Amino acid sequence: MVDVPRDLVEQIKRLEELFSVDTAKLKHITDRFVSELEKGLSVEGGSIVSTSPMNPTWVTGYPTGYETGTFLALDMGGTNLRVCEISLPEEKSEFDIVQSKYRMPEELKTGKSEDLWEYIADCLQQFVEYQHGEEDVGTLPLGFTFSYPATQNYIDHGILQRWTKGFDIEGVEGQDVVPMLEAAIAKRGLPIKLTALINDTTGTLIASAYTDDTTKVGCIFGTGCNAAYMENIGSVPKLAHMNLDPDMPIAINCEWGAFDNEHLVLPRTTYDAKIDQDSPRPGQQAFEKMVAGLYLGEIFRLVLIDLHDNKDIRIFEGQSVEQLRKPYSLDASYLSSIEEDPFENLSDTQDLFLKYLDLKANRSELELIRRLAELIGTRAARLSACGIAAICKKKDIKSCHVGADGSVFNKYPHFKERGAAALREILDWPSSLRKDPIVVVTSEDGSGVGAAVIAALTDKRIKEGNLAGVKYTN
């Protein structure tokens, strides 16, 4: 390693102490996580502010892999709108998919409610007309992936709790979004029936279970973070008033980004506190702000600014850091690139800083930059394992696959390996085990295939007369 000046060596050590999470702390966080999951299922429920909401989804069971039919899936993300047609053939766990993406215009995100639903219905119309022309397709069941926190008393209904991902459209929070979209669909006379409203995380669970029946948990580690798993109705006290079969399974959308909003166990630094304080909703999404892709680059940026502004530490001396002062100017892909730099002299990282920040980092600074990126990325991966371990402990799952999706899981270097190592530590697996009993694997397409399979499951149970959690059956 290059000779690093003493002041920077001391800072690297300080950062290692700040961002490292040891085994004992991981176990402590996991235990607290289990109790918050249980609290969220209680009659009092997990309020948005204090704990994970644990929203029942009314997906009442795993797929068999033998579901059949043609279904539409609509995925409303923060950047794109995706429309898919998924055919589930006779062969077990197989599917065919055709899809189109439509850009979500920025002005819609803060515009009028009706403009949003009209635009979505226009995209559906374009897709159906392009795929089918004048052909009579009957009625196509639609699974709508609406990945915003929503209260679901029925599978075909969802009251938006709050907008996220840059949306802030008046008149939608506190309202059921299904009739809004259905009205726009009806206005165009489209042969579409909205059968299921789902969250992408629930879709990830079901899509993964459709192709791999050892799947017991679905997770998203991307711009945000979340998990879903299958619970028994009898273990959900807040649904007891419905007098349903206690053994009936129901998928729970944890919304676990809200874990530890009370700041009792997570190892928050002053940088995490600042991110929260400057965010649109301070005091919310405490866990998400430490592990999700949206925030990793910002934590990194805040640390570098802090180091630069400390006159006892000489970093980027004599250079303007104005570019670096812009909030959210660096995202998780920036940290990925630093961690992926294959050169011993970190020349790729040096080029990156010059290109995007107009900063010429010397060799010692590059060593600190690399170590900081590793620390932030490692902390996120290790904390993410606490949520997975908590679900497995709560449900006494000894062996399973966890289907995971999202840009951080799929693209961030070493995220999977670091998370797997933390899971081993938390669950005390003996070193003699030849393979891990609980493995986090890349999921199937939750917001497309998952939405279609959930629409198929819902369609099937309506025909069988099982109407628990179904609002509109005609």
Side-chain angles (χ1 to χ4, degrees):
M1 186 173 164
V2 69
D3 283 339
V4 177
R6 192 171 155 191
D7 59 335
L8 289 193
V9 169
E10 285 172 2
Q11 286 310 310
I12 289 172
K13 281 183 182 166
R14 180 183 74 89
L15 293 169
E16 284 173 344
E17 284 170 15
L18 264 186
F19 286 98
S20 296
V21 190
D22 64 21
T23 306
K25 184 66 175 172
L26 290 175
K27 289 181 175 181
H28 181 49
I29 293 167
T30 301
D31 289 342
R32 175 71 192 175
F33 222 127
V34 174
S35 66
E36 280 213 14
L37 297 177
E38 286 169 350
K39 183 178 166 190
L41 296 172
S42 68
V43 177
E44 301 76 40
S47 71
I48 293 169
V49 176
S50 71
T51 189
S52 306
M54 303 295 281
N55 295 327
T57 65
W58 299 103
V59 175
T60 58
Y62 290 111
T64 61
Y66 289 106
E67 289 73 18
T68 57
T70 300
F71 304 88
L72 291 181
L74 170 66
D75 178 14
M76 181 181 154
T79 311
N80 295 312
L81 189 72
R82 185 168 62 120
V83 183
C84 315
E85 184 174 284
I86 291 115
S87 300
L88 306 177
E90 301 286 339
E91 296 82 12
K92 186 176 192 291
S93 302
E94 293 294 322
F95 61 86
D96 295 306
I97 181 169
V98 288
Q99 57 187 315
S100 294
K101 274 188 182 176
Y102 305 88
R103 193 87 188 152
M104 184 67 80
E106 280 300 316
E107 61 273 16
L108 279 186
K109 294 186 179 183
T110 51
K112 293 180 181 169
S113 169
E114 56 268 32
D115 292 345
L116 172 70
W117 307 115
E118 292 284 328
Y119 176 75
I120 293 172
D122 281 342
C123 294
L124 283 168
Q125 183 169 15
Q126 279 180 45
F127 181 84
V128 171
E129 286 176 355
Y130 180 76
Q131 294 300 330
H132 297 286
E134 299 298 311
E135 175 192 347
D136 180 8
V137 291
T139 301
L140 292 165
L142 170 69
F144 179 19
T145 302
F146 184 74
S147 298
Y148 305 84
T151 303
Q152 280 193 274
N153 299 321
Y154 309 93
I155 195 161
D156 49 354
H157 144 112
I159 295 171
L160 176 66
Q161 293 170 351
R162 64 189 183 282
W163 282 116
T164 56
K165 301 179 189 176
F167 279 85
D168 194 9
I169 300 170
E170 277 188 32
V172 187
E173 290 186 352
Q175 302 297 314
D176 183 357
V177 299
V178 171
M180 297 181 188
L181 177 57
E182 286 198 318
I185 289 171
K187 191 172 164 184
R188 286 158 182 75
L190 299 175
I192 294 170
K193 166 71 180 146
L194 203 160
T195 306
L197 183 82
I198 72 156
N199 181 279
D200 57 354
T201 318
T202 312
T204 296
L205 169 67
I206 297 302
S208 297
Y210 177 74
T211 56
D212 172 7
D213 59 14
T214 67
T215 304
K216 296 287 179 264
V217 183
C219 293
I220 301 284
F221 299 113
T223 309
C225 69
N226 197 8
Y229 73 101
M230 206 64 76
E231 190 54 271
N232 299 324
I233 289 270
S235 300
V236 187
K238 64 185 178 184
L239 297 181
H241 64 283
M242 299 186 73
N243 298 315
L244 296 167
D245 177 357
D247 294 326
M248 184 171 91
I250 185 167
I252 299 292
N253 164 24
C254 300
E255 290 294 349
W256 74 11
F259 167 66
D260 199 37
N261 281 346
E262 296 166 290
H263 308 316
L264 299 176
V265 291
L266 287 173
R268 292 170 90 231
T269 64
T270 53
Y271 310 110
D272 299 303
K274 179 159 178 55
I275 279 181
D276 184 43
Q277 175 193 317
D278 295 346
S279 71
R281 304 198 184 215
Q284 293 183 21
Q285 302 301 95
F287 186 60
E288 184 164 280
K289 286 169 182 167
M290 294 176 77
V291 306
L294 179 62
Y295 303 101
L296 300 184
E298 183 65 359
I299 297 167
F300 177 79
R301 187 191 72 80
L302 288 173
V303 174
L304 290 182
I305 284 293
D306 185 41
L307 292 175
H308 173 269
D309 291 351
N310 183 335
K311 295 306 168 201
D312 296 331
I313 302 159
R314 289 176 288 282
I315 183 172
F316 309 134
E317 267 191 302
Q319 300 184 70
S320 167
V321 294
E322 285 318 297
Q323 290 287 98
L324 191 58
R325 289 198 188 278
K326 291 178 186 166
Y328 291 91
S329 51
L330 307 180
D331 61 17
S333 67
Y334 199 90
L335 271 69
S336 293
S337 299
I338 294 169
E339 286 220 51
E340 281 176 329
D341 188 341
F343 300 108
E344 197 175 326
N345 66 355
L346 301 175
S347 58
D348 278 3
T349 305
Q350 190 170 44
D351 293 346
L352 201 65
F353 266 68
L354 205 52
K355 181 178 177 182
Y356 290 101
L357 300 169
D358 200 22
L359 288 170
K360 185 162 175 42
N362 63 38
R363 186 63 200 282
S364 301
E365 290 163 352
L366 290 170
E367 292 289 345
L368 180 142
I369 286 163
R370 169 70 163 239
R371 187 68 187 119
L372 176 59
E374 287 172 354
L375 288 166
I376 292 168
T378 301
R379 185 184 72 162
R382 286 173 71 77
L383 290 176
S384 74
C386 295
I388 295 168
I391 290 174
C392 292
K393 282 183 86 166
K394 183 188 181 309
K395 293 300 295 173
D396 197 28
I397 297 168
K398 302 295 186 194
S399 170
C400 76
H401 279 171
V402 175
D405 201 359
S407 53
V408 172
F409 180 78
N410 289 320
K411 295 179 182 174
Y412 197 96
H414 318 301
F415 187 87
K416 297 175 193 176
E417 296 80 4
R418 290 164 176 168
L423 211 48
R424 280 179 220 121
E425 292 171 41
I426 298 165
L427 297 173
D428 286 320
W429 293 329
S431 53
S432 57
L433 280 181
R434 291 180 62 186
K435 59 179 186 176
D436 294 350
I438 296 167
V439 184
V440 187
V441 299
T442 304
S443 77
E444 287 294 347
D445 168 18
S447 50
V449 176
V453 173
I454 289 169
L457 291 169
T458 307
D459 207 37
K460 181 170 180 278
R461 72 183 179 91
I462 289 171
K463 286 170 182 165
E464 290 170 351
N466 175 1
L467 304 181
V470 179
K471 187 170 189 178
Y472 306 107
T473 55
N474 51 349

